[in-house]
C-alpha cells in the first residue's frame, strides 16, 4: 500500500505512476487553474491530470513552469478529445496539447472516450508517439470490457491505464477484475461523484470512526482497492486534506460496507451512450 503522496504504482511497461494526483476537470483557465496546480505541487503532489477538452492546458503548463519543480519529477496526463479521434487528427491534437502545456513530452496520454469506430486508428497514433518517446505511457479512458477486448485484439501495445468514473456508487468490479487480469492500471475520475457522496450516511459513520472526512475515506477506499485516484479541488485546504489519506487503513469490514453502496449509478455519461455521433 502507498504510504505517502509520492508513492507510485508500476505500469506494465515499467513506468512509475503516482497513486494520487490532482484532477482539473471544470477548473477555469487562467488564475484558477494556475493557482490550484501550484497549490497542489507546493503541497507535495507530483501528478496532474488534464485534457484537451478541459481547455486549461495552458494554465497547467504555466503552473508547472512557475512551481520551481523539475519537469522530470512530475507526472503529467492529458487526453485526446472525441472530435480529434483518428490517426492524423490525433497526431495533430497531441502536438496542440504539448504546445499548450509547453512541454517536450507527456507522461501519460489517453483516448478520452471510446466512441464508436475510430479508437483503433487513434490508438495507432498513440503507439507511434509512444515508440518515438514523446509519451512515457499510453492508455484509455471510459473504456468498457468490450472496448478493451476489441482494442487489445489488434493493438501492438496494450493500454497501460484505463481511467473511468469510479466511486462507491459505481464500483465497476467486473471491469476492475478484467483490468487486473490484463495488467491495465485502473484510475478513478470523479472519485467523490462530484460531491454527491459527501453526505452518504454509511460514509459519514465510517468517517467519524476514523476521525477523517468522507472524502478522505473514499480516497482511501480507492487506494486500498488498488485504484489510482485524482480528486479535483481549487481550494488549497481541500487539496491538502485530500492527500491526507496515508496515515490510516480501512478495515476489511468497512471496505465491504463501502462496496455495498454500489448502485451502478453515474455522475457522467455511460461510455456506450457517448459513442453516438462520433
Amino acid at each position: 500500500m502507498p504510504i505517502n503522496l509520492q508513492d507510485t504504482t508500476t505500469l506494465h511497461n515499467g513506468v512509475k505512476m503516482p497513486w494520487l494526483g490532482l484532477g482539473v476537470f471544470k477548473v477555469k483557465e487562467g488564475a484558477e487553474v494556475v493557482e490550484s496546480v501550484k497549490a497542489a505541487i507546493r503541497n507535495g503532489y507530483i501528478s496532474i491530470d488534464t485534457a484537451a477538452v478541459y481547455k486549461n492546458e495552458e494554465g497547467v503548463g504555466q503552473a508547472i513552469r512557475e512551481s520551481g519543480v523539475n519537469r522530470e519529477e512530475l507526472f503529467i496526463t492529458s487526453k485526446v478529445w472525441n472530435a480529434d479521434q483518428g490517426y492524423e487528427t490525433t497526431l495533430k491534437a497531441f502536438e496542440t496539447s504539448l504546445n499548450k502545456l509547453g512541454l517536450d513530452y507527456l507522461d501519460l496520454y489517453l483516448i478520452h472516450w471510446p466512441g464508436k469506430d475510430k479508437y483503433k486508428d487513434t490508438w495507432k497514433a498513440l503507439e507511434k508517439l509512444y515508440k518515438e518517446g514523446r509519451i512515457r505511457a499510453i492508455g484509455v479512458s471510459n473504456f468498457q470490457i468490450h472496448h478493451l477486448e476489441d482494442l487489445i485484439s489488434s493493438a501492438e501495445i496494450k493500454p497501460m491505464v484505463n481511467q473511468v468514473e469510479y466511486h462507491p456508487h459505481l464500483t465497476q468490479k467486473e471491469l476492475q477484475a478484467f483490468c487486473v487480469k490484463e495488467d491495465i492500471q485502473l484510475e478513478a475520475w470523479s472519485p467523490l461523484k462530484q460531491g454527491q457522496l459527501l453526505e452518504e450516511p454509511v460514509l459519514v459513520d465510517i468517517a467519524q470512526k476514523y476521525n477523517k472526512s468522507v472524502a478522505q475515506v473514499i480516497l482511501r477506499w480507492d487506494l486500498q482497492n488498488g485504484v489510482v485516484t485524482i480528486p479535483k479541488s481549487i481550494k488549497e485546504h481541500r487539496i491538502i486534506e485530500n492527500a491526507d489519506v496515508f496515515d490510516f487503513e480501512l478495515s476489511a469490514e468497512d471496505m465491504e460496507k463501502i462496496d455495498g453502496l454500489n448502485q451502478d449509478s453515474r455522475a457522467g455519461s455511460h461510455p456506450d451512450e457517448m459513442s453516438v455521433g462520433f
Side-chain angles (χ1 to χ4, degrees):
M1 278 306 303
I3 57 169
N4 64 52
L5 191 48
Q6 285 79 41
D7 272 358
T8 56
T9 179
T10 303
L11 304 179
H12 72 66
N13 68 335
V15 165
K16 295 185 183 308
M17 178 180 187
W19 280 105
L20 196 147
L22 179 76
V24 296
F25 175 58
K26 288 192 173 171
V27 181
K28 291 193 196 94
E29 178 63 289
E32 187 170 273
V33 74
V34 171
E35 291 311 313
S36 62
V37 171
K38 281 167 73 174
I41 295 173
R42 184 163 60 243
N43 287 287
Y45 283 70
I46 54 175
S47 174
I48 309 294
D49 178 279
T50 185
V53 78
Y54 300 171
K55 301 196 184 310
N56 56 20
E57 289 171 312
E58 287 172 334
V60 169
Q62 181 183 334
I64 291 166
R65 288 189 296 279
E66 292 178 4
S67 72
V69 173
N70 287 338
R71 163 69 184 99
E72 293 70 30
E73 293 174 35
L74 300 172
F75 191 97
I76 309 300
T77 301
S78 194
K79 312 174 193 83
V80 57
W81 183 238
N82 309 343
D84 293 320
Q85 280 218 42
Y87 185 79
E88 294 295 342
T89 41
T90 293
L91 294 176
K92 281 185 195 156
F94 172 78
E95 296 300 340
T96 300
S97 284
L98 212 58
N99 288 335
K100 285 185 174 176
L101 286 158
L103 300 176
D104 296 326
Y105 67 93
L106 282 179
D107 297 281
L108 179 63
Y109 197 46
L110 306 176
I111 301 177
H112 206 145
W113 290 88
K116 200 161 62 177
D117 55 8
K118 289 185 177 175
Y119 59 77
K120 288 191 175 184
D121 287 338
T122 305
W123 188 251
K124 281 192 171 64
L126 265 62
E127 288 179 328
K128 172 183 162 66
L129 293 164
Y130 174 73
K131 288 178 193 168
E132 291 173 351
R134 312 287 308 284
I135 313 167
R136 295 177 65 231
I138 51 177
V140 295
S141 184
N142 300 302
F143 273 47
Q144 304 281 93
I145 291 172
H146 69 92
H147 298 121
L148 289 167
E149 287 175 333
D150 185 45
L151 182 62
I152 290 167
S153 71
S154 62
E156 272 186 75
I157 301 163
K158 200 188 291 188
M160 288 131 205
V161 173
N162 185 19
Q163 184 187 115
V164 298
E165 183 176 350
Y166 177 92
H167 46 68
H169 282 173
L170 186 67
T171 57
Q172 307 239 46
K173 292 291 184 189
E174 284 183 29
L175 177 61
Q176 184 175 11
F178 179 86
C179 288
V180 168
K181 178 171 71 79
E182 295 293 340
D183 203 10
I184 298 168
Q185 176 62 51
L186 201 67
E187 178 178 17
W189 66 257
S190 198
L192 310 179
K193 202 183 180 186
Q194 297 176 7
Q196 294 176 41
L197 284 161
L198 298 181
E199 293 177 9
E200 168 68 56
V202 171
L203 294 172
V204 170
D205 285 348
I206 292 172
Q208 287 170 346
K209 173 180 168 183
Y210 291 92
N211 197 26
K212 288 287 182 178
S213 70
V214 169
Q216 288 168 328
V217 165
I218 294 170
L219 298 173
R220 182 70 202 184
W221 172 80
D222 287 352
L223 297 175
Q224 285 183 221
N225 276 326
V227 177
V228 168
T229 189
I230 46 166
K232 165 223 165 182
S233 183
I234 58 172
K235 297 173 178 155
E236 184 161 15
H237 72 280
R238 287 264 184 260
I239 289 169
I240 294 168
E241 181 188 291
N242 287 343
D244 187 16
V245 293
F246 299 101
D247 60 349
F248 75 109
E249 187 168 347
L250 295 166
S251 69
E253 182 188 12
D254 288 330
M255 290 290 288
E256 278 181 34
K257 277 187 193 164
I258 299 171
D259 286 350
L261 296 171
N262 182 54
Q263 306 170 351
D264 291 334
S265 73
R266 298 172 180 272
S269 302
H270 190 287
D272 290 333
E273 290 160 14
M274 269 296 276
S275 69
V276 177
F278 79 94

